[in-house]
Amino acid sequence: MTWPLPPFLWGVATSAYQIEGGSAGNDWADWERVPGMVRGGACAGEACGSWDRWERDLDRIIALGLNAYRFSLEWSRIEPEEGRFDEAALGRYREILAGCRDRSITPLVTLHHFTNPRWFLARGGWEERGNLALFERYARLAGERYGDLVDLWITVNEPEVYGFYAYDAGTFPPGVRDRARALRVIANLLEAHGLASQALRETDRADSDGDGHAVLAGAAKHWVLFEPRNRWSPADRVMAVAQHRVFNVAVARALTGGPIDLWIPGVPPVRRRVEALATASDFLGVNYYTRWQVGLGGSEAMTARPGAPVNDLGWEIYPEGLRIALRECARFRLPLLVTENGIADASDRWRSDFIRTSLTALDHARAAGADVRGYFHWSLMDNFEWHEGYAGRFGLYALDGAGPRGERPSARVYAGEVARRR
Ligand code: IFM
Protein backbone atom coordinates (compact mmCIF):
# COMPACT_ATOMS: atom_id res chain seq x y z
CA MET A 1 0.00 0.00 0.00
CA THR A 2 1.22 3.52 -0.62
CA TRP A 3 1.13 5.62 2.45
CA PRO A 4 1.98 9.26 1.77
CA LEU A 5 4.86 10.64 3.77
CA PRO A 6 3.28 12.69 6.54
CA PRO A 7 5.48 14.52 9.01
CA PHE A 8 7.33 11.93 11.10
CA LEU A 9 5.27 11.10 14.18
CA TRP A 10 7.08 11.84 17.42
CA GLY A 11 5.07 10.72 20.37
CA VAL A 12 4.58 8.87 23.58
CA ALA A 13 2.50 5.74 24.21
CA THR A 14 0.22 4.68 27.05
CA SER A 15 -2.67 2.27 27.55
CA ALA A 16 -6.02 2.82 29.22
CA TYR A 17 -5.89 0.49 32.21
CA GLN A 18 -2.31 1.43 32.98
CA ILE A 19 -3.07 5.15 33.36
CA GLU A 20 -6.77 5.95 33.62
CA GLY A 21 -7.63 4.75 37.11
CA GLY A 22 -11.03 3.71 38.38
CA SER A 23 -11.77 0.93 35.86
CA ALA A 24 -13.67 -1.85 37.55
CA GLY A 25 -15.29 -3.84 34.75
CA ASN A 26 -12.44 -5.82 33.27
CA ASP A 27 -10.50 -9.01 33.93
CA TRP A 28 -7.52 -7.15 35.44
CA ALA A 29 -9.67 -5.48 38.07
CA ASP A 30 -10.55 -8.98 39.30
CA TRP A 31 -7.12 -10.51 38.79
CA GLU A 32 -5.14 -7.92 40.73
CA ARG A 33 -7.23 -8.66 43.82
CA VAL A 34 -6.13 -12.29 43.87
CA PRO A 35 -3.27 -12.55 46.37
CA GLY A 36 0.10 -13.19 44.74
CA MET A 37 -0.83 -12.16 41.21
CA VAL A 38 0.71 -8.68 41.20
CA ARG A 39 4.08 -7.80 42.69
CA GLY A 40 3.76 -6.28 46.14
CA GLY A 41 -0.01 -6.84 46.08
CA ALA A 42 -0.40 -3.64 44.02
CA CYS A 43 -3.64 -2.71 42.27
CA ALA A 44 -3.99 -0.28 39.37
CA GLY A 45 -6.25 1.79 41.60
CA GLU A 46 -6.28 5.41 40.53
CA ALA A 47 -3.17 4.84 38.38
CA CYS A 48 -2.27 8.24 36.87
CA GLY A 49 -5.80 9.55 37.17
CA SER A 50 -5.86 10.12 33.42
CA TRP A 51 -9.56 9.43 33.04
CA ASP A 52 -10.17 12.84 34.59
CA ARG A 53 -6.79 14.47 34.08
CA TRP A 54 -6.39 13.79 30.37
CA GLU A 55 -5.82 17.47 29.64
CA ARG A 56 -2.75 17.40 31.89
CA ASP A 57 -1.46 14.47 29.83
CA LEU A 58 -2.01 16.23 26.51
CA ASP A 59 -0.36 19.39 27.83
CA ARG A 60 2.65 17.35 28.87
CA ILE A 61 2.88 15.98 25.34
CA ILE A 62 2.87 19.52 24.01
CA ALA A 63 5.45 20.57 26.61
CA LEU A 64 7.75 17.87 25.20
CA GLY A 65 7.35 19.25 21.67
CA LEU A 66 5.69 16.07 20.35
CA ASN A 67 3.09 15.74 17.60
CA ALA A 68 1.51 12.34 18.31
CA TYR A 69 -0.04 10.30 21.11
CA ARG A 70 -0.71 6.58 21.20
CA PHE A 71 -3.34 5.58 23.76
CA SER A 72 -6.02 2.94 24.04
CA LEU A 73 -9.75 2.75 24.50
CA GLU A 74 -10.91 0.64 27.43
CA TRP A 75 -13.45 -1.74 25.90
CA SER A 76 -15.03 -2.49 29.28
CA ARG A 77 -15.83 1.19 29.81
CA ILE A 78 -17.42 1.47 26.36
CA GLU A 79 -19.34 -1.82 26.62
CA PRO A 80 -19.71 -2.56 30.34
CA GLU A 81 -22.27 -5.29 29.65
CA GLU A 82 -22.56 -7.27 26.48
CA GLY A 83 -24.45 -5.17 23.96
CA ARG A 84 -24.88 -2.15 26.28
CA PHE A 85 -22.78 0.84 25.26
CA ASP A 86 -22.01 3.62 27.68
CA GLU A 87 -22.55 7.04 26.12
CA ALA A 88 -20.73 8.86 28.91
CA ALA A 89 -17.57 6.79 28.32
CA LEU A 90 -17.89 7.15 24.55
CA GLY A 91 -18.24 10.90 25.09
CA ARG A 92 -15.13 11.10 27.29
CA TYR A 93 -12.97 9.42 24.66
CA ARG A 94 -14.38 11.81 22.10
CA GLU A 95 -13.35 14.74 24.29
CA ILE A 96 -9.83 13.35 24.58
CA LEU A 97 -9.58 12.85 20.82
CA ALA A 98 -10.92 16.35 20.13
CA GLY A 99 -8.40 17.61 22.71
CA CYS A 100 -5.64 15.95 20.68
CA ARG A 101 -6.81 17.54 17.46
CA ASP A 102 -7.16 20.98 19.13
CA ARG A 103 -3.50 20.71 20.12
CA SER A 104 -2.36 19.38 16.72
CA ILE A 105 -1.52 16.02 18.28
CA THR A 106 -2.12 13.08 15.92
CA PRO A 107 -3.90 10.32 17.84
CA LEU A 108 -2.92 6.68 17.29
CA VAL A 109 -5.71 4.70 18.91
CA THR A 110 -5.42 1.12 20.17
CA LEU A 111 -8.59 -0.95 20.48
CA HIS A 112 -7.27 -3.84 22.57
CA HIS A 113 -4.39 -3.47 25.00
CA PHE A 114 -4.45 -6.59 27.22
CA THR A 115 -7.65 -5.95 29.20
CA ASN A 116 -10.98 -7.62 28.44
CA PRO A 117 -14.47 -6.80 29.64
CA ARG A 118 -15.42 -9.20 32.42
CA TRP A 119 -18.40 -10.46 30.41
CA PHE A 120 -16.14 -11.21 27.42
CA LEU A 121 -13.86 -13.42 29.49
CA ALA A 122 -16.89 -15.14 31.00
CA ARG A 123 -17.91 -16.08 27.46
CA GLY A 124 -14.57 -17.76 26.90
CA GLY A 125 -12.62 -14.66 25.85
CA TRP A 126 -10.11 -15.10 23.04
CA GLU A 127 -10.25 -18.88 23.18
CA GLU A 128 -13.60 -18.87 21.41
CA ARG A 129 -13.37 -18.07 17.76
CA GLY A 130 -17.09 -17.25 17.82
CA ASN A 131 -16.32 -14.32 20.13
CA LEU A 132 -14.37 -12.50 17.46
CA ALA A 133 -17.61 -11.02 16.16
CA LEU A 134 -17.98 -9.22 19.50
CA PHE A 135 -14.63 -7.51 19.06
CA GLU A 136 -15.52 -6.71 15.47
CA ARG A 137 -18.71 -5.00 16.65
CA TYR A 138 -16.71 -2.89 19.12
CA ALA A 139 -14.24 -1.95 16.35
CA ARG A 140 -17.13 -0.98 14.14
CA LEU A 141 -18.50 1.29 16.84
CA ALA A 142 -15.10 2.93 17.34
CA GLY A 143 -14.87 3.57 13.60
CA GLU A 144 -18.36 5.08 13.50
CA ARG A 145 -17.91 7.27 16.57
CA TYR A 146 -14.35 8.45 16.13
CA GLY A 147 -13.62 8.14 12.42
CA ASP A 148 -13.77 11.91 11.95
CA LEU A 149 -11.02 12.36 14.55
CA VAL A 150 -8.88 9.28 14.03
CA ASP A 151 -7.08 7.96 10.97
CA LEU A 152 -4.42 5.84 12.64
CA TRP A 153 -5.58 2.68 14.39
CA ILE A 154 -3.95 -0.20 16.21
CA THR A 155 -6.34 -3.10 16.49
CA VAL A 156 -4.50 -5.33 18.96
CA ASN A 157 -1.44 -4.76 21.09
CA GLU A 158 1.11 -7.56 21.35
CA PRO A 159 -1.12 -10.56 20.63
CA GLU A 160 1.84 -12.86 21.28
CA VAL A 161 2.59 -11.36 24.70
CA TYR A 162 -1.05 -11.55 25.70
CA GLY A 163 -1.35 -15.16 24.50
CA PHE A 164 1.81 -16.44 26.18
CA TYR A 165 1.38 -14.48 29.44
CA ALA A 166 -2.30 -15.25 29.89
CA TYR A 167 -2.35 -18.87 28.63
CA ASP A 168 1.19 -20.23 28.94
CA ALA A 169 3.04 -18.43 31.75
CA GLY A 170 -0.22 -17.75 33.57
CA THR A 171 0.90 -14.30 34.75
CA PHE A 172 -2.02 -12.45 33.13
CA PRO A 173 -5.68 -13.35 33.63
CA PRO A 174 -7.10 -15.93 33.26
CA GLY A 175 -3.83 -17.47 34.49
CA VAL A 176 -3.84 -20.62 32.36
CA ARG A 177 -0.70 -22.71 31.81
CA ASP A 178 -1.29 -24.56 28.60
CA ARG A 179 0.83 -23.82 25.56
CA ALA A 180 -1.64 -25.32 23.10
CA ARG A 181 -4.33 -22.97 24.34
CA ALA A 182 -1.90 -20.06 24.10
CA LEU A 183 -1.35 -20.75 20.42
CA ARG A 184 -5.09 -20.88 19.78
CA VAL A 185 -5.57 -17.55 21.56
CA ILE A 186 -2.79 -15.89 19.58
CA ALA A 187 -4.29 -17.20 16.35
CA ASN A 188 -7.68 -15.78 17.30
CA LEU A 189 -6.16 -12.40 18.13
CA LEU A 190 -4.42 -12.38 14.77
CA GLU A 191 -7.71 -13.12 13.08
CA ALA A 192 -9.31 -10.38 15.20
CA HIS A 193 -6.79 -7.96 13.73
CA GLY A 194 -8.04 -8.81 10.26
CA LEU A 195 -11.70 -8.49 11.20
CA ALA A 196 -11.28 -5.26 13.16
CA SER A 197 -9.24 -3.65 10.43
CA GLN A 198 -11.97 -4.52 7.92
CA ALA A 199 -14.64 -3.13 10.27
CA LEU A 200 -12.68 0.13 10.64
CA ARG A 201 -12.34 0.49 6.87
CA GLU A 202 -16.08 0.04 6.48
CA THR A 203 -17.11 2.48 9.19
CA ASP A 204 -14.41 5.16 9.31
CA ARG A 205 -14.81 6.99 6.02
CA ALA A 206 -13.59 10.39 7.21
CA ASP A 207 -10.08 11.50 6.35
CA SER A 208 -9.32 13.59 9.45
CA ASP A 209 -6.03 15.08 8.30
CA GLY A 210 -6.57 15.37 4.56
CA ASP A 211 -3.79 12.98 3.49
CA GLY A 212 -6.16 10.91 1.39
CA HIS A 213 -6.51 8.08 3.94
CA ALA A 214 -9.41 7.68 6.31
CA VAL A 215 -7.90 4.56 7.91
CA LEU A 216 -4.33 3.41 8.35
CA ALA A 217 -4.46 0.27 10.45
CA GLY A 218 -1.89 -1.98 12.01
CA ALA A 219 -1.13 -4.06 15.09
CA ALA A 220 1.66 -3.56 17.62
CA LYS A 221 4.13 -6.45 17.72
CA HIS A 222 6.50 -6.94 20.66
CA TRP A 223 9.80 -7.66 18.91
CA VAL A 224 12.32 -9.53 21.04
CA LEU A 225 15.93 -10.23 20.12
CA PHE A 226 16.65 -13.84 21.11
CA GLU A 227 20.12 -15.33 21.39
CA PRO A 228 21.39 -18.69 22.67
CA ARG A 229 22.55 -18.65 26.28
CA ASN A 230 25.54 -20.71 25.27
CA ARG A 231 26.40 -20.05 21.67
CA TRP A 232 28.37 -23.31 21.40
CA SER A 233 25.37 -25.36 22.46
CA PRO A 234 23.34 -26.70 19.50
CA ALA A 235 20.30 -27.09 21.78
CA ASP A 236 20.44 -23.47 22.92
CA ARG A 237 20.82 -22.32 19.33
CA VAL A 238 17.78 -24.33 18.29
CA MET A 239 15.82 -22.78 21.16
CA ALA A 240 16.74 -19.24 20.12
CA VAL A 241 15.79 -19.87 16.50
CA ALA A 242 12.53 -21.61 17.48
CA GLN A 243 11.47 -18.78 19.79
CA HIS A 244 12.31 -16.17 17.18
CA ARG A 245 10.27 -18.09 14.63
CA VAL A 246 7.10 -18.44 16.64
CA PHE A 247 7.17 -15.27 18.77
CA ASN A 248 8.49 -12.83 16.17
CA VAL A 249 8.35 -14.10 12.61
CA ALA A 250 5.14 -16.14 12.59
CA VAL A 251 3.16 -13.36 14.25
CA ALA A 252 4.58 -10.58 12.10
CA ARG A 253 4.00 -12.65 8.97
CA ALA A 254 0.31 -13.10 9.76
CA LEU A 255 -0.04 -9.43 10.66
CA THR A 256 1.47 -8.39 7.36
CA GLY A 257 -0.72 -10.47 5.09
CA GLY A 258 0.57 -14.01 5.44
CA PRO A 259 -1.14 -17.14 6.76
CA ILE A 260 -1.47 -17.97 10.44
CA ASP A 261 1.12 -20.66 11.08
CA LEU A 262 1.98 -21.07 14.76
CA TRP A 263 4.14 -23.98 15.71
CA ILE A 264 6.07 -25.03 18.82
CA PRO A 265 7.63 -28.48 19.31
CA GLY A 266 5.34 -30.79 21.24
CA VAL A 267 2.18 -28.75 20.75
CA PRO A 268 -0.43 -29.11 17.99
CA PRO A 269 0.23 -26.37 15.42
CA VAL A 270 -2.41 -23.80 14.55
CA ARG A 271 -2.57 -23.16 10.84
CA ARG A 272 -5.15 -21.33 8.81
CA ARG A 273 -5.49 -18.74 6.12
CA VAL A 274 -7.71 -15.79 7.01
CA GLU A 275 -8.88 -13.77 4.08
CA ALA A 276 -9.33 -10.60 6.13
CA LEU A 277 -5.66 -10.67 7.11
CA ALA A 278 -4.42 -10.39 3.54
CA THR A 279 -5.02 -6.63 3.38
CA ALA A 280 -5.45 -5.82 7.08
CA SER A 281 -2.28 -3.85 7.73
CA ASP A 282 -1.01 -0.55 6.41
CA PHE A 283 1.90 -0.64 8.84
CA LEU A 284 3.57 -2.88 11.35
CA GLY A 285 3.86 -1.50 14.88
CA VAL A 286 7.13 -2.47 16.57
CA ASN A 287 7.46 -2.51 20.36
CA TYR A 288 11.11 -2.98 21.18
CA TYR A 289 12.63 -3.19 24.66
CA THR A 290 15.41 -5.74 25.03
CA ARG A 291 17.36 -8.83 24.09
CA TRP A 292 16.94 -12.15 25.91
CA GLN A 293 19.12 -15.21 26.21
CA VAL A 294 17.33 -18.54 25.98
CA GLY A 295 18.50 -22.10 26.36
CA LEU A 296 17.84 -25.48 27.88
CA GLY A 297 19.73 -25.11 31.17
CA GLY A 298 18.95 -22.78 34.05
CA SER A 299 15.83 -22.19 36.07
CA GLU A 300 14.69 -19.09 34.17
CA ALA A 301 13.36 -19.41 30.63
CA MET A 302 14.82 -16.06 29.57
CA THR A 303 17.80 -14.27 31.10
CA ALA A 304 19.82 -11.12 30.51
CA ARG A 305 23.37 -11.45 29.22
CA PRO A 306 25.65 -12.09 32.20
CA GLY A 307 27.29 -8.84 33.29
CA ALA A 308 25.14 -6.63 31.05
CA PRO A 309 23.48 -3.58 32.59
CA VAL A 310 19.85 -4.27 33.42
CA ASN A 311 16.82 -2.09 34.08
CA ASP A 312 14.71 -2.15 37.23
CA LEU A 313 12.88 -5.26 35.98
CA GLY A 314 16.09 -7.16 35.18
CA TRP A 315 15.85 -6.64 31.41
CA GLU A 316 19.13 -6.07 29.58
CA ILE A 317 19.59 -2.42 28.65
CA TYR A 318 20.31 -2.79 24.96
CA PRO A 319 18.96 0.23 23.07
CA GLU A 320 21.24 -0.45 20.07
CA GLY A 321 19.02 -3.46 19.43
CA LEU A 322 16.31 -1.20 18.05
CA ARG A 323 18.33 -1.00 14.86
CA ILE A 324 18.39 -4.79 14.53
CA ALA A 325 14.69 -5.05 15.36
CA LEU A 326 13.82 -2.49 12.69
CA ARG A 327 16.04 -4.18 10.13
CA GLU A 328 14.30 -7.49 10.82
CA CYS A 329 10.83 -5.92 10.70
CA ALA A 330 11.58 -4.07 7.46
CA ARG A 331 11.63 -7.51 5.77
CA PHE A 332 7.84 -7.60 6.05
CA ARG A 333 7.68 -4.79 3.49
CA LEU A 334 5.28 -2.44 5.21
CA PRO A 335 5.92 0.99 6.70
CA LEU A 336 6.94 0.67 10.34
CA LEU A 337 5.97 2.62 13.42
CA VAL A 338 7.96 2.21 16.62
CA THR A 339 4.85 1.97 18.74
CA GLU A 340 6.74 1.42 22.03
CA ASN A 341 10.31 1.74 23.24
CA GLY A 342 11.39 2.58 26.77
CA ILE A 343 13.09 1.58 29.99
CA ALA A 344 12.00 0.86 33.56
CA ASP A 345 14.30 3.20 35.48
CA ALA A 346 12.89 4.79 38.64
CA SER A 347 16.09 6.68 39.43
CA ASP A 348 16.33 8.06 35.87
CA ARG A 349 19.96 6.99 35.84
CA TRP A 350 19.87 5.20 32.47
CA ARG A 351 16.95 6.72 30.57
CA SER A 352 18.69 9.71 28.96
CA ASP A 353 21.39 7.54 27.38
CA PHE A 354 18.80 4.95 26.48
CA ILE A 355 16.84 7.58 24.57
CA ARG A 356 19.89 9.00 22.79
CA THR A 357 21.12 5.57 21.76
CA SER A 358 17.67 4.36 20.73
CA LEU A 359 17.14 7.38 18.52
CA THR A 360 20.57 6.98 16.95
CA ALA A 361 19.65 3.36 16.26
CA LEU A 362 16.44 4.60 14.67
CA ASP A 363 18.39 7.08 12.50
CA HIS A 364 20.71 4.30 11.34
CA ALA A 365 17.84 1.96 10.57
CA ARG A 366 16.16 4.64 8.48
CA ALA A 367 19.39 5.52 6.71
CA ALA A 368 19.78 1.83 5.86
CA GLY A 369 16.36 1.83 4.22
CA ALA A 370 13.83 0.89 6.92
CA ASP A 371 10.66 2.83 6.15
CA VAL A 372 9.91 4.06 9.68
CA ARG A 373 7.14 6.65 10.02
CA GLY A 374 7.07 7.37 13.73
CA TYR A 375 8.50 6.74 17.19
CA PHE A 376 6.43 6.55 20.39
CA HIS A 377 8.31 6.45 23.67
CA TRP A 378 6.90 4.19 26.36
CA SER A 379 5.77 5.94 28.41
CA LEU A 380 4.56 9.44 29.13
CA MET A 381 4.17 8.68 32.84
CA ASP A 382 4.96 5.89 35.27
CA ASN A 383 2.00 3.57 35.20
CA PHE A 384 0.60 0.22 36.28
CA GLU A 385 2.99 -2.36 34.86
CA TRP A 386 0.64 -5.37 34.97
CA HIS A 387 1.95 -8.25 37.12
CA GLU A 388 4.94 -6.08 38.08
CA GLY A 389 2.58 -3.59 39.72
CA TYR A 390 4.28 -0.23 40.15
CA ALA A 391 7.78 -1.75 40.20
CA GLY A 392 8.47 -0.87 36.57
CA ARG A 393 8.77 2.91 36.25
CA PHE A 394 8.80 3.67 32.54
CA GLY A 395 7.71 7.32 32.73
CA LEU A 396 9.21 10.50 31.36
CA TYR A 397 7.08 11.86 34.19
CA ALA A 398 7.24 10.29 37.63
CA LEU A 399 4.02 9.20 39.25
CA ASP A 400 4.93 10.60 42.60
CA GLY A 401 6.38 13.88 41.57
CA ALA A 402 10.18 13.99 41.24
CA GLY A 403 11.33 17.39 39.90
CA PRO A 404 9.10 20.21 38.74
CA ARG A 405 5.63 18.88 38.00
CA GLY A 406 6.95 15.33 38.04
CA GLU A 407 9.09 15.74 34.94
CA ARG A 408 12.21 13.60 34.98
CA PRO A 409 15.45 15.05 33.57
CA SER A 410 15.33 12.48 30.75
CA ALA A 411 12.06 14.02 29.54
CA ARG A 412 14.06 17.10 28.52
CA VAL A 413 16.56 14.86 26.75
CA TYR A 414 13.77 13.26 24.74
CA ALA A 415 12.32 16.69 23.93
CA GLY A 416 15.75 17.91 22.81
CA GLU A 417 16.47 14.86 20.65
CA VAL A 418 13.07 15.20 18.98
CA ALA A 419 13.52 18.96 18.43
CA ARG A 420 16.84 18.28 16.69
CA ARG A 421 15.14 15.89 14.31
CA ARG A 422 11.87 17.71 13.60
O1 IFM B 1 3.75 -1.72 29.87
C1 IFM B 1 3.90 -2.60 28.81
C2 IFM B 1 2.83 -2.36 27.76
O2 IFM B 1 1.55 -2.48 28.28
C3 IFM B 1 2.98 -3.34 26.62
N1 IFM B 1 4.32 -3.38 26.12
C4 IFM B 1 5.40 -3.49 27.06
C5 IFM B 1 5.25 -2.44 28.15
C6 IFM B 1 6.40 -2.55 29.15
O3 IFM B 1 6.42 -3.82 29.72
Side-chain angles (χ1 to χ4, degrees), residues 225 227 288-292 305 308-311 315-325 341 343 354 357-358 361:
L225 303 181
E227 64 175 20
Y288 170 75
Y289 288 87
T290 192
R291 159 170 74 186
W292 288 111
R305 266 194 186 191
V310 293
N311 74 13
W315 307 359
E316 182 183 351
I317 301 176
Y318 185 51
E320 299 85 347
L322 179 60
R323 180 179 178 176
I324 304 170
N341 175 240
I343 179 170
F354 181 93
T357 311
S358 297

Side-chain angles (χ1 to χ4, degrees), residues 9-12 54-55 57-63 65-71 96-108 149 376:
L9 298 169
W10 287 108
V12 280
W54 56 269
E55 285 179 293
D57 299 351
L58 300 189
D59 291 341
R60 284 176 167 178
I61 291 168
I62 292 299
L66 307 176
N67 63 2
Y69 182 31
R70 175 184 173 212
F71 66 99
I96 300 173
L97 288 166
C100 288
R101 290 296 184 191
D102 290 346
R103 292 167 177 79
S104 300
I105 296 171
T106 299
L108 168 59
L149 294 168
F376 292 78

Side-chain angles (χ1 to χ4, degrees), residues 14-15 18 70 113-114 157-158 161 165 172 222 287 289 313 315 340 342 344 378-379 383-388 392 394:
T14 64
S15 90
Q18 294 181 270
R70 175 184 173 212
H113 194 120
F114 293 164
N157 180 70
E158 300 179 349
V161 171
Y165 275 24
F172 279 16
H222 193 114
N287 297 354
Y289 288 87
L313 297 176
W315 307 359
E340 288 181 27
W378 185 275
S379 181
N383 56 50
F384 180 68
E385 179 55 24
W386 310 112
H387 58 296
E388 300 286 1
F394 283 89

